[in-house]
Amino acid sequence: MADQSTPDIIYTIVDEAPELASASLLPIVRSFAAAADIEVGTKDISLAGRIIATFPEKLTAEQRQSDDLAELGELVKTPDANVIKLPNVSASVPQLVAAISELQAQGYDLPAYPEEPKTNEEKEIRARYDTIKGSAVNPVLREGNSDRRAAKAVKNFAQKNPHSMGKWAKDSKTHVSSMPGDDFYANEKSATITAAQAGAAKIEFVAKDGSVTVLKDGWKLGEGTVTDATYMSAKALSAFLSDEIEKTKQDGIMFSLHMKATMMKVSDPIIFGHAVKAWMAPIFEKYGDALAAAGVSANSGMGDVLARIESLPNAADIKADIAAIEAERPAIYMVDSDKGITNLHVPSDVIIDASMPALIRAGGKGWDANGAKGDVNCVIPDNCYATIYDESINFFKENGALNPATAGAVANVGLMAQKAEEYGSHPTTFEAPADGSIRIVLANGEILHEQAVEGGDIWRACTVNKAPIENWIQLAIVRQRLTGTEAIFWLDANRAHDAELIKYVTPALDAAGVADKFQIMAPREATRQSLETITAGKDSIAITGNVLRDYLTDLFPILELGTSAKMLSIVQLMNGGGLFETGAGGSAPKHVQQLVAENHLRWDSMGEFCALGESLKFLADSKGNEKAGILGAAAEVATQGILDQNKSPSRKVGEPDNRDSHYWFARYWADALAKQTDDAELATHFEPIAAALVDNEAAILSELAAVQGAPADIGGYYHPDSGKKTAVMRASETLNEIIG
């Protein structure tokens, strides 16, 4: 066993459906692991937990929590790290505000989130809350590059049991629309830092009168760091959005906006706000002063605008005008037709890497306010990555839907370590305060990049360090050698940033003598090539940057497997540890809503099962714990059993759910351990457990079924009550007694 300060395996406490599922699964994991002298600890990286840890001085001693994210951030830099990371909330402002409100109602004396801070105290509170917004977790924990692929058992099951796919029509009007220019792609500059340039840089805004404002100081840039600067024109963006609304109406299809307002927590909410303003332009023109006085922020979405209008004395007049505008607008893509929640209501409701694959899987169809399916204008303003979705839609229009029964697989090797690329740009993204220029000034006084901007333009800088790039290339070489499959670096030689990466990739492949094993292709061409490959039943490896890693490991799994939640995601930490991620959580909110209403949790823990097996095998290799290796191999047998025997959760109340699947996982796991011949002590320990799980099958399943159908009280959405959560998720006393 590891020393008391570092458990052998860390299981993260997170949010929503994955955390509810943990209340059922983690006791099983801990019980089985204890038989191999393995300690499984936890660290709280949930949104609520991070909020609580940020304001200890406001709370009682009983309410305070340690900063577990910071502690994990240090752990993942050590060889001892073995972390199973579940999907956590990357909070938009509305989600952050909702979580704060819930905690306040539970008695936590937390300050409100200042939408428009005026005093120094409010600015300080806002700054602390802003460290929690968006993807605050992943950049801290991902101290290695990503190896994501479908586990063999999962892929085999998907081929034998293909999921439904929507039919594509050649005359489908569904398409992707992006800005004709003046976006991040068009304006990007990139350079690799030399030894003479390395050191603490600054980002400065230079006004028209020559005055200089430092936006960021002490920004450390090391030798070999690829450093980008780019901006999106606010005027060009607004004009583009207005044009697309009109074009959508002329085409007679639905309007939709697809962004990543959680991970890109500065830039994308601003872009989202421009879309809300474009959609409601006459309202902002006519009632702008009143809306501003009411604290309206278009960046928070149309839902927030509508809620704040209710407090105005002329609310009825404004709502009447909104209704008149809606009648003139094209149909809008709906998040929830029954509740009237549109694509523009909440920035975190439509996340591009989940929404676009789902739409493509459905044959290019979305749902309107009446619940009717139709074609969609998919508005993705920036051109950096929009091309992958555009080319996918073009491919399926030409060739019809992918056949999951025969399709090959696209694995991913992703460059993400040390806050790589755009996902690390939060502290270096700014909305231009006025006309002028924004520049990067290096430690030696040299100006690396300088760009003229207008007030309201969105400027950002981002970096990727030398060591992660070199590690990424070597990981790609290893994966290609192990698989022997097609391998493509998704890099666009015409994009400034990618051109700098190619300067690393080409000589590294030459030095390793493997240049003939790899291709370098722009994302659009790589998308086409990969789709042709898997349509032919063959496999491909997509070697990508951080954002494409995120997008493709949803796009291809949703097409191939029907879900991205079952992906095997291994982060080989650069200092020797392991981080094992468990799949996407984009659908988690709807799962929680169903549990609360019907006490049925349809969340599928397949990603956790896969990660657990890998974590145990890693522990065996890194610590020499042979029993851990046996547990890991048996966990893989159990995972295969879940798939082969179709024991995954059903979507409908009254049918087996997440808790049932955990019973079957425990049963198959115990059975495999009892029958293995490598460790008699483990076999003897698990023989009676396996027998009890078989003998009590009827009682356990009956107890789990009995609780379904009635509402479930978990005591909170973002911060559920531990006792209530446990009572709901461990509903079989018989199973609890057997597991212990």
Side-chain angles (χ1 to χ4, degrees):
M1 184 182 291
D3 63 77
Q4 291 184 348
S5 62
T6 308
D8 299 285
I9 296 173
I10 297 291
Y11 216 94
T12 55
I13 297 171
V14 289
D15 314 272
E16 299 177 325
E19 181 54 28
L20 293 174
S22 285
S24 168
L25 180 60
L26 187 54
I28 296 170
V29 173
R30 279 179 156 157
S31 176
F32 280 55
D37 196 28
I38 298 168
E39 181 186 358
V40 180
T42 59
K43 290 293 182 181
D44 188 349
I45 60 171
S46 68
L47 176 57
R50 287 180 281 132
I51 291 171
I52 292 169
T54 302
F55 292 93
E57 76 281 5
K58 301 283 187 180
L59 307 176
T60 67
E62 293 76 18
Q63 291 174 329
R64 290 174 192 152
Q65 290 185 197
S66 58
D67 188 347
D68 284 5
L69 178 58
E71 292 177 14
L72 273 184
E74 293 304 311
L75 177 62
V76 294
K77 296 175 183 176
T78 73
D80 291 329
N82 188 331
V83 181
I84 296 177
K85 183 198 169 292
L86 281 68
N88 62 280
V89 165
S90 295
S92 64
V93 170
Q95 287 174 304
L96 180 60
V97 170
I100 295 167
S101 178
E102 181 176 302
L103 287 165
Q104 290 170 334
Q106 292 175 351
Y108 289 80
D109 186 23
L110 295 162
Y113 178 79
E115 296 274 3
E116 296 182 4
K118 295 180 175 60
T119 67
N120 287 336
E121 181 183 11
E122 288 178 339
K123 290 177 182 177
E124 193 265 341
I125 291 170
R126 169 70 178 263
R128 290 166 76 177
Y129 272 132
D130 282 352
T131 65
I132 304 169
K133 283 192 326 191
S135 183
V137 171
N138 290 336
V140 173
L141 299 187
R142 288 173 171 168
E143 280 290 319
N145 291 311
S146 171
D147 173 9
R148 281 190 176 181
R149 58 190 186 274
K152 186 176 180 180
V154 173
K155 182 62 177 178
N156 290 343
F157 179 81
Q159 290 182 320
K160 293 176 183 177
N161 303 271
H163 55 274
S164 62
M165 297 286 280
K167 293 183 179 180
W168 274 92
K170 291 185 182 296
D171 62 351
S172 170
K173 292 184 178 181
T174 291
H175 63 281
V176 170
S177 297
S178 299
M179 293 173 66
D182 232 354
D183 60 349
F184 293 128
Y185 179 89
N187 293 324
E188 187 173 72
K189 295 182 178 182
S190 186
T192 300
I193 300 298
T194 66
Q197 295 172 323
K202 295 185 290 186
I203 300 174
E204 298 177 337
F205 171 71
V206 183
K208 287 289 188 180
D209 63 5
S211 59
V212 176
T213 302
V214 177
L215 302 176
K216 178 76 175 179
D217 203 356
W219 186 33
K220 295 181 180 179
L221 298 177
E223 180 184 0
T225 298
V226 175
T227 305
D228 308 336
T230 188
Y231 70 95
M232 177 180 283
S233 163
K235 287 182 180 177
L237 173 63
S238 295
F240 161 74
L241 291 166
S242 296
D243 287 346
E244 288 306 319
I245 291 171
E246 185 57 35
K247 289 178 183 178
T248 306
K249 182 179 179 180
Q250 292 172 4
D251 287 342
I253 60 177
M254 274 179 275
F255 177 89
S256 65
L257 178 72
H258 301 265
M259 302 296 302
K260 190 79 171 183
T262 50
M263 295 288 272
M264 300 304 300
K265 63 183 181 180
V266 179
S267 60
D268 283 23
I270 296 172
I271 297 171
F272 191 89
H274 279 281
V276 172
K277 287 180 178 178
W279 189 263
M280 305 179 72
I283 300 299
F284 280 92
E285 291 168 7
K286 185 175 181 180
Y287 301 104
D289 292 342
L291 295 177
V296 164
S297 171
N299 294 5
S300 294
M302 201 155 66
D304 184 71
V305 175
L306 296 173
R308 292 182 184 273
I309 285 171
E310 293 290 347
S311 65
L312 297 175
N314 57 341
D317 294 335
I318 300 175
K319 287 192 286 186
D321 284 352
I322 290 174
I325 293 166
E326 294 290 344
E328 294 297 317
R329 291 294 189 221
I332 190 167
Y333 176 98
M334 300 297 291
V335 172
D336 192 326
S337 301
D338 294 337
K339 296 181 179 178
I341 299 175
T342 74
N343 174 244
L344 297 178
H345 259 62
V346 183
S348 55
D349 270 357
V350 180
I351 305 300
I352 184 171
D353 46 329
S355 61
M356 283 303 301
L359 185 145
I360 292 169
R361 179 189 166 186
K365 301 295 184 183
W367 283 261
D368 67 15
N370 298 315
K373 290 196 293 186
D375 292 343
V376 187
N377 180 4
C378 305
V379 176
I380 306 172
D382 181 54
N383 284 275
C384 285
Y385 307 109
T387 54
I388 68 166
Y389 300 117
D390 185 49
E391 192 62 25
S392 295
I393 288 171
N394 292 340
F395 182 87
F396 292 123
K397 283 182 184 179
E398 297 167 15
N399 299 282
L402 187 72
N403 182 359
T406 59
V410 178
N412 182 268
V413 174
L415 171 59
M416 68 177 192
Q418 299 179 357
K419 305 178 182 180
E421 302 180 317
E422 293 97 327
Y423 284 171
S425 67
H426 312 138
T428 52
T429 301
F430 306 95
E431 193 170 20
D435 294 356
S437 65
I438 298 180
R439 65 191 185 189
I440 297 173
V441 182
L442 299 174
N444 64 1
E446 180 184 345
I447 296 175
L448 182 69
H449 302 307
E450 183 169 17
Q451 289 152 315
V453 294
E454 297 180 323
D457 287 354
I458 309 164
W459 185 96
R460 74 176 182 217
C462 54
T463 63
V464 56
N465 296 327
K466 180 179 180 179
I469 298 171
E470 294 175 337
N471 176 270
W472 170 63
I473 298 168
Q474 293 307 310
L475 180 58
I477 292 172
V478 170
R479 289 305 305 161
Q480 195 285 326
R481 185 177 69 244
L482 291 174
T483 62
T485 61
E486 169 185 282
I488 303 171
F489 280 90
W490 291 47
L491 297 171
D492 181 355
N494 294 316
R495 181 183 172 190
H497 170 79
D498 287 7
E500 293 299 308
L501 289 185
I502 290 172
K503 293 177 185 176
Y504 272 101
V505 171
T506 302
L509 296 180
D510 287 338
V514 295
D516 61 327
K517 304 292 186 183
F518 294 84
Q519 301 176 68
I520 299 175
M521 305 175 76
R524 180 182 294 280
E525 288 70 31
T527 300
R528 170 73 57 161
Q529 175 68 30
S530 301
L531 288 172
E532 289 175 348
T533 297
I534 64 173
T535 298
K538 300 177 182 179
D539 297 340
S540 183
I541 302 172
I543 309 154
T544 73
N546 205 353
V547 177
L548 274 179
R549 169 202 59 79
D550 201 9
Y551 290 8
L552 297 189
T553 54
D554 274 306
L555 175 61
F556 287 113
I558 286 173
L559 296 177
E560 297 171 24
L561 312 175
T563 177
S564 58
K566 298 180 180 181
M567 287 290 281
L568 183 61
S569 183
I570 301 169
V571 181
Q572 298 183 12
L573 300 172
M574 290 197 297
N575 290 327
L579 177 70
F580 306 92
E581 299 185 306
T582 65
S587 59
K590 291 184 179 179
H591 294 193
V592 180
Q593 293 164 13
Q594 185 179 19
L595 176 83
V596 171
E598 303 175 331
N599 205 344
H600 179 93
L601 184 66
R602 68 177 188 261
W603 176 259
D604 192 337
S605 294
M606 183 57 62
E608 287 92 315
F609 300 157
C610 292
L612 175 63
E614 291 294 329
S615 171
L616 288 165
K617 289 192 297 181
F618 178 78
L619 181 63
D621 292 339
S622 62
K623 302 296 183 183
N625 185 332
E626 294 182 2
K627 291 182 186 292
I630 293 169
L631 254 69
E636 290 186 337
V637 173
T639 301
Q640 186 70 62
I642 292 288
L643 293 167
D644 290 345
Q645 302 303 319
N646 196 23
K647 298 301 182 183
S648 295
S650 166
R651 297 173 64 87
K652 296 180 180 179
V653 67
E655 297 178 357
D657 77 346
N658 177 266
R659 293 163 288 196
D660 295 80
S661 72
H662 293 166
Y663 158 68
W664 289 107
F665 181 76
R667 176 168 162 173
Y668 296 146
W669 196 8
D671 181 69
L673 287 165
K675 291 178 178 176
Q676 56 82 28
T677 57
D678 293 330
D679 191 304
E681 183 182 5
L682 279 179
T684 300
H685 176 84
F686 281 102
E687 281 173 2
I689 296 174
L693 290 170
V694 172
D695 294 343
N696 289 279
E697 174 186 333
I700 293 170
L701 296 181
S702 176
E703 290 167 355
L704 294 176
V707 301
Q708 289 202 42
D713 179 11
I714 56 174
Y717 182 91
Y718 293 99
H719 191 240
D721 178 87
S722 178
K724 291 181 177 180
K725 178 178 66 177
T726 298
V728 169
M729 293 307 301
R730 302 194 72 193
S732 169
E733 288 300 325
T734 305
L735 176 60
N736 298 343
E737 290 175 7
I738 294 170
I739 296 301

